[in-house]
Amino acid sequence: MTDQNTNSAEFAEFEELSAGHAVRALSATEAQRFTELRVAHPEWEATARADATVAARLGEGVLPVEPPAAIRAQLLAQIAGSLQTTSQADDARADDIQTGGAASAAAPFSADAAAAPEEAHRRRSRRGRLFALAASLVLLGGIALGTVALTQYLTRPAAVVALDEVRAAPDAQSASVDAAGVAATAYWSAEKQKAVLVAEDLQPLSAQQSYELWFVREGVPISAGVFEVESGTTTALLDGDMHSGDVIAVTVEVAGGSPTGQPTSDPVIAIPTA
């Protein structure tokens, strides 16, 4: 009987450690104990595999992103605390059963038998709490991902927002050119009254220079603002209204744009829109 009780107690301990292991919530000491029990009782391996499967399913469909460190640490602390609280409750319950042995002997069933359903329920509740906390971590990761995506969307540059609007417009048009290794495309919409330039591999300038945009209308250049080069793809929104047939051009000027309001160099990009 003693061996049976010992075995039952070890299995209960193994179940709890298995759940903690599945959600990566064990301390180094607990992990070592779990390994010892796992080696000593290969017949319990099905429990460990089942717990690992449940934990893996919690993360299905959620990309692996790291939640905020403070909140993640708090949840893991709750998991660890749950392990400690349950262990303390077990010790207290064992003391109660031991001190109440005489009264229990007179009862129509033993204290161990009476405690069995309660013990099984406690273990199920314990494991359920662990997996619920693990699910919280997974959900937190999803929230973190959603927050990042939303932040990126809301903080898009004005030129990128305008490009999306122009492309979605029913009257959207575009024209492209290749010039000196730079692939450039102009997008415009009369309905949106916007024009956007997208250039690939445009070379950065020194701090003393700027790229300046122009609407060239019937041979007359009209400044449409300056812009900075971004790594890879540069998207620039032209200031002012575009007219049908305008040529969209880019020149290199002094920092901040041409001081005369007229181009001082030949265009490095010129895109006819007619």
Side-chain angles (χ1 to χ4, degrees):
M1 180 66 70
T2 301
D3 290 343
Q4 182 177 354
N5 289 339
T6 300
N7 198 52
S8 177
E10 284 189 343
F11 181 64
E13 180 185 9
F14 178 81
E15 281 190 310
E16 294 174 354
L17 291 173
S18 176
H21 174 76
V23 297
R24 300 179 183 181
L26 297 183
S27 66
T29 301
E30 291 165 341
Q32 180 179 354
R33 176 58 175 164
F34 173 68
T35 301
E36 292 172 354
L37 290 172
R38 197 171 189 176
V39 171
H41 298 280
E43 69 275 15
W44 296 344
E45 185 62 24
T47 297
R49 289 199 301 269
D51 288 346
T53 299
V54 171
R57 287 177 178 172
L58 289 173
E60 288 180 356
V62 178
L63 294 178
V65 296
E66 189 69 14
I71 301 179
R72 184 179 188 279
Q74 184 178 1
L75 282 170
L76 288 176
Q78 289 185 40
I79 292 175
S82 183
L83 283 168
Q84 182 178 3
T85 299
T86 301
S87 177
Q88 293 172 345
D90 288 347
D91 293 342
R93 181 177 173 278
D95 291 343
D96 289 343
I97 292 176
Q98 183 175 0
T99 55
S104 299
F109 48 86
S110 68
D112 287 341
E118 177 187 345
E119 179 71 12
H121 175 72
R122 182 192 62 77
R123 291 203 302 268
R124 286 193 298 270
S125 298
R126 164 87 174 93
R127 289 154 64 82
R129 287 197 302 274
L130 283 172
F131 286 120
L133 287 169
S136 297
L137 284 174
V138 173
L139 177 60
L140 184 60
I143 291 172
L145 174 65
T147 300
V148 170
L150 180 60
T151 300
Q152 290 176 342
Y153 180 82
L154 293 177
T155 58
R156 292 177 302 162
V160 175
V161 174
L163 178 61
D164 290 344
E165 293 177 352
V166 168
R167 283 175 167 173
D171 66 339
Q173 298 183 67
S174 65
S176 300
V177 298
D178 289 318
V182 177
T185 302
Y187 299 86
W188 67 92
S189 164
E191 178 182 302
K192 298 296 182 180
Q193 297 183 333
K194 292 178 181 178
V196 180
L197 175 73
V198 178
E200 300 283 349
D201 301 322
L202 192 60
Q203 295 301 308
L205 299 174
S206 69
Q208 289 73 42
Q209 295 176 306
S210 293
Y211 284 111
E212 188 161 2
L213 292 157
W214 305 88
F215 291 118
V216 182
R217 186 169 303 151
E218 298 179 354
V220 178
I222 302 170
S223 178
V226 298
F227 66 94
E228 295 182 359
V229 172
E230 301 169 1
S231 177
T233 301
T234 297
T235 304
L237 173 63
L238 284 81
D239 296 335
D241 295 334
M242 177 180 169
H243 290 194
S244 177
D246 284 354
V247 174
I248 293 176
V250 176
T251 62
V252 176
E253 306 293 340
V254 297
S258 171
T260 65
Q262 295 295 309
T264 62
S265 65
D266 292 334
V268 295
I269 296 173
I271 306 177
T273 65

